[in-house]
Amino acid sequence: MNKLLTSIFLIFSLIGALPLMAAESAVETSSIYYSIEEPFTINFLNQSQEKVRYLQIKVALMSHEPTVLDSAQHNLPMIQDALRTLFTEQGYDTVSTVAGREQLQQQALTKIRTLLQQETGSDGLEQIYFTSFILQ
């Protein structure tokens, strides 16, 4: 009888702890964002048959690890330079399509991950978002 009561108590204790464990894992997996405040403005004069064309992009970074975004913020000048170079290399015709925009977003993610890996040893950046994408 004593073993039965002990087993029942143990089962109820474990069941009671499950919501706490689920809450802890939910906190650990929440997304954290860092927005690069300064927008990137690119002039496409040379890539658009000498027509005045501009691209302005605002970028936000996403990770589940605060240290990754802290590293990104610490290395912001390097990230901004790399993104500005990447955006300048693009052609107007490429970025004016949805597929081109998605490809540019993936290239930017790869570029930033590589930089963070080289500088910090961690590439836990999970996604970047273009929070504003103005093509004129």
Side-chain angles (χ1 to χ4, degrees), residues 84-114:
R84 194 168 287 112
T85 300
L86 175 66
F87 296 157
T88 303
E89 293 170 348
Q90 305 305 306
Y92 177 81
D93 293 334
T94 302
V95 297
S96 63
T97 66
V98 173
R101 180 182 179 270
E102 290 171 351
Q103 180 182 4
L104 180 58
Q105 192 173 12
Q106 187 59 46
Q107 289 173 342
L109 176 62
T110 301
K111 175 71 81 175
I112 296 171
R113 277 183 175 162
T114 301

Side-chain angles (χ1 to χ4, degrees), residues 14-69:
L14 290 174
I15 290 172
L18 286 176
L20 293 175
M21 292 168 42
E24 287 176 9
S25 67
V27 170
E28 293 173 357
T29 62
S30 64
S31 300
I32 307 165
Y33 299 91
Y34 171 68
S35 293
I36 299 174
E37 290 192 29
E38 182 182 329
F40 297 90
T41 304
I42 308 301
N43 180 346
F44 282 114
L45 183 64
N46 294 329
Q47 300 99 319
S48 62
Q49 292 89 30
E50 300 299 316
K51 295 179 184 174
V52 178
R53 303 275 189 186
Y54 291 97
L55 171 64
Q56 185 180 72
I57 303 175
K58 287 184 125 185
V59 177
L61 312 176
M62 190 276 284
S63 179
H64 287 99
E65 302 173 37
T67 56
V68 171
L69 297 181

Side-chain angles (χ1 to χ4, degrees), residues 67-86:
T67 56
V68 171
L69 297 181
D70 290 342
S71 296
Q73 191 172 13
H74 180 72
N75 291 288
L76 186 59
M78 180 181 61
I79 290 171
Q80 287 174 309
D81 180 62
L83 289 177
R84 194 168 287 112
T85 300
L86 175 66

